[in-house]
């Protein structure tokens, strides 16, 4: 009897992430196993639009005693519990290769997206989301004058360790390239050297041609479940044009980014009819002293890593084989892209 032909939706295989140079094990046959875990939806959390005790709200007092202004758009402040300080004593040069330390300076800031605590990006007005995009770009310019890497990230939901429901993100600007950006810089540089084109521009062309993993698309932006995705609902958001950093986006591209983010995040919320948790962040060409180097190998992109697996409460744990050997997923990137693509672009809360 002939062996059955390989079917990526049925048969185990490994996929390669060219950015991290890591592999992920895909086991779609496991989707057939019985599941008796929790699937019910928890009651929706009621968040007041304004809580004078919440340190991120307009007019509230923060941990360091400072009072926030009565802001009516975005509001940026220096994190009162910064993981990176502007300066400090330098560690001594490594005495042994097995015990190396190096200097680490930086600045941490918080951006409040909106004065109201009960809003999230998908349910905000387009103009409000556009203000967030502009602030991301402004902060990249400002902190990018000094720092090699400006990491903008949003941690959303209690399950991601986010303690505060007020819509906000963080920025950690570093005097060094952190581990993942460093890996990404290396791999994109290597690809550019070998092929003469930016890796992610080639990837965009492939995804637009194959149309198997596209979640949403507009004139300027593309959202895909990457071929090599690890988290069940992981997505990548990229400009279709070759863009190095957020500040390089045109006025039109910024409006278009606000629009596609609202669509992606609405689809996420509609998946399990909950405020979908995730960690997301922007990766663009390095800044600071690295700004003068040739960074043509870079392409700006945002990475979304949602932790959920099967329902609003069942999370994927990166444990066991994943901690000790390699990342693994059951449902394929193509199957998830189809699910997300078919979800409505109207938020479930607007229907009721
Ligand atoms: P998270 O809930 O995502 O951790 O974000 C809240 C951030 O706001 C967190 O980094 C900062 C915390 O350090 N913060 C202040 O800087 N001052 C405060 O008074 C409360 C919270």
């Amino acid at each position: 009897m002939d062996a059955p032909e390989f079917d990526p939706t049925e048969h185990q295989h490994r996929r390669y992430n060219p950015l991290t140079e890591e592999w992920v094990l895909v086991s779609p046959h496991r989707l057939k196993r019985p599941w008796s875990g929790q699937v019910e939806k928890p009651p929706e959390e009621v968040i007041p639009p304004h809580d004078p005790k919440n340190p991120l709200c307009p007019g509230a007092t923060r941990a360091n005693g400072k009072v926030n202004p009565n802001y009516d758009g975005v509001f940026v402040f220096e994190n009162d519990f910064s993981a990176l300080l502007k300066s400090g004593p330098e560690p001594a040069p490594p005495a042994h290769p097995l015990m190396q330390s190096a200097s680490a300076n930086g600045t941490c800031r918080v951006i409040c997206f909106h004065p109201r605590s009960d809003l999230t990006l998908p349910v905000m007005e387009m103009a409000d989301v556009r203000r967030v995009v502009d602030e991301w770009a402004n902060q990249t310019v400002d902190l990018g004058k000094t720092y090699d890497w400006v990491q903008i990230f949003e941690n959303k939901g209690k399950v991601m360790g986010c303690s505060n429901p007020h819509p906000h993100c963080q920025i950690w600007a570093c005097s060094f390239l952190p581990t993942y950006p460093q890996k990404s810089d290396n791999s994109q540089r290597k690809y550019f050297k070998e092929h003469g084109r930016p890796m992610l521009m080639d990837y965009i062309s492939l995804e637009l041609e194959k149309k198997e993993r596209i979640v949403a698309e507009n004139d300027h932006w593309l959202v895909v479940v990457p071929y090599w995705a690890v988290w069940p609902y992981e997505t990548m958001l990229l400009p279709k044009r070759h863009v190095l950093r957020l500040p390089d986006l045109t006025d039109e591209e910024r409006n278009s980014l606000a629009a596609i983010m609202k669509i992606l995040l609405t689809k996420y919320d509609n998946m399990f009819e909950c405020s979908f948790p995730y960690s997301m962040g922007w990766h663009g060409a390095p800044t600071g002293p690295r700004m003068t180097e040739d960074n043509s190998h870079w392409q700006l992109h945002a990475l979304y890593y949602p932790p959920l697996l099967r329902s609003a409460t069942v999370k994927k744990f990166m444990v066991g084989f994943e901690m000790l050997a390699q990342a693994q997923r059951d449902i394929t990137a193509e199957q998830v892209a189809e699910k997300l693509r078919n979800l409505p672009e109207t938020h479930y809360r607007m229907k009721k």
Side-chain angles (χ1 to χ4, degrees):
M1 204 173 73
D2 285 344
E5 214 176 294
F6 174 73
D7 175 355
T9 63
E10 282 272 341
H11 303 125
Q12 62 202 18
H13 58 285
R14 291 178 295 149
R15 294 191 187 191
Y16 181 66
N17 180 339
L19 284 168
T20 59
E21 303 186 322
E22 288 175 2
W23 290 82
V24 52
L25 172 63
V26 187
S27 320
H29 54 283
R30 291 221 313 172
L31 290 171
K32 294 191 178 111
R33 78 192 194 280
W35 167 253
S36 56
Q38 185 189 7
V39 287
E40 75 274 15
K41 214 177 126 200
E44 199 128 339
E45 202 186 340
V46 181
I47 299 159
H50 182 81
D51 174 2
K53 290 200 195 73
N54 183 335
L56 301 194
C57 280
T61 306
R62 299 208 308 275
N64 63 354
K66 283 198 183 139
V67 178
N68 294 335
N70 277 315
Y71 64 91
D72 59 5
V74 293
F75 168 56
V76 186
F77 65 91
E78 194 133 332
N79 200 312
D80 303 318
F81 308 100
S82 291
L84 286 154
L85 303 174
K86 290 187 187 100
S87 62
E90 298 280 312
H96 192 283
L98 293 183
M99 289 203 180
Q100 296 192 43
S101 47
S103 70
N105 300 316
T107 297
C108 299
R109 291 179 182 167
V110 177
I111 308 181
C112 296
F113 292 160
H114 198 280
R116 271 173 62 179
S117 297
D118 59 334
L119 296 183
T120 54
L121 289 171
V123 294
M124 274 182 205
E125 296 293 330
M126 197 78 83
D128 295 334
V129 181
R130 165 65 199 254
R131 270 195 284 275
V132 173
V133 169
D134 285 337
E135 196 54 49
W136 284 339
N138 293 346
Q139 292 293 323
T140 308
V141 171
D142 185 30
L143 293 163
K145 284 182 206 145
T146 311
Y147 295 110
D148 293 46
W149 189 254
V150 180
Q151 184 59 62
I152 295 171
F153 64 95
E154 182 190 359
N155 240 1
K156 180 169 170 269
K158 281 194 185 126
V159 64
M160 297 309 290
C162 176
S163 57
N164 198 311
H166 194 93
H168 69 281
C169 74
Q170 297 194 40
I171 313 172
W172 291 21
C174 322
S175 64
F176 54 93
L177 268 196
T179 306
Y180 302 130
Q182 180 68 74
K183 277 189 174 193
S184 196
D185 185 54
N186 293 345
S187 58
Q188 289 180 88
R189 190 187 301 274
K190 199 162 81 188
Y191 187 94
F192 193 83
K193 226 171 168 183
E194 277 168 24
H195 302 269
R197 294 178 307 273
M199 175 202 281
L200 289 176
M201 292 312 292
D202 277 1
Y203 181 59
I204 291 167
S205 302
L206 270 174
E207 290 294 16
L208 288 172
E209 182 194 309
K210 297 201 178 292
K211 298 190 175 4
E212 289 172 339
R213 282 164 296 273
I214 297 178
V215 171
E217 186 188 350
N218 63 18
D219 286 351
H220 308 99
W221 295 87
L222 176 69
V223 182
V224 293
V225 177
Y227 180 77
W228 50 80
V230 165
W231 294 94
Y233 299 101
E234 180 175 331
T235 56
M236 194 185 223
L237 163 62
L238 311 106
K240 290 181 178 172
R241 179 174 74 87
H242 186 206
V243 175
L244 298 193
R245 304 177 185 89
L246 280 163
D248 304 332
L249 295 172
T250 63
D251 181 57
E252 239 188 317
E253 285 167 338
R254 291 176 189 211
N255 284 336
S256 188
L257 171 57
I260 203 142
M261 271 181 5
K262 268 178 72 73
I263 289 174
L264 169 65
L265 300 179
T266 296
K267 284 172 177 287
Y268 269 165
D269 282 6
N270 287 343
M271 176 61 77
F272 299 127
E273 299 213 337
C274 69
S275 186
F276 208 68
Y278 56 77
S279 266
M280 71 77 66
W282 284 100
H283 275 196
T287 48
R290 293 170 196 259
M291 204 86 154
T292 49
E293 292 170 13
D294 183 5
N295 283 295
S296 339
H297 53 289
W298 266 92
Q299 167 70 346
L300 175 72
H301 57 283
L303 297 157
Y304 284 85
Y305 299 139
L308 296 183
L309 180 62
R310 249 176 264 272
S311 74
T313 51
V314 178
K315 175 188 180 301
K316 177 180 174 70
F317 289 98
M318 285 285 184
V319 295
F321 185 83
E322 285 146 319
M323 271 186 146
L324 291 153
Q326 184 175 296
Q328 184 272 343
R329 65 182 293 132
D330 295 346
I331 192 166
T332 65
E334 298 72 37
Q335 288 164 328
V336 169
E338 195 183 350
K339 273 189 181 201
L340 284 168
R341 192 166 53 238
N342 292 335
L343 282 168
E345 293 182 9
T346 306
H347 199 275
Y348 72 94
R349 272 167 54 183
M350 304 297 172
K351 285 188 302 194
K352 288 170 186 166

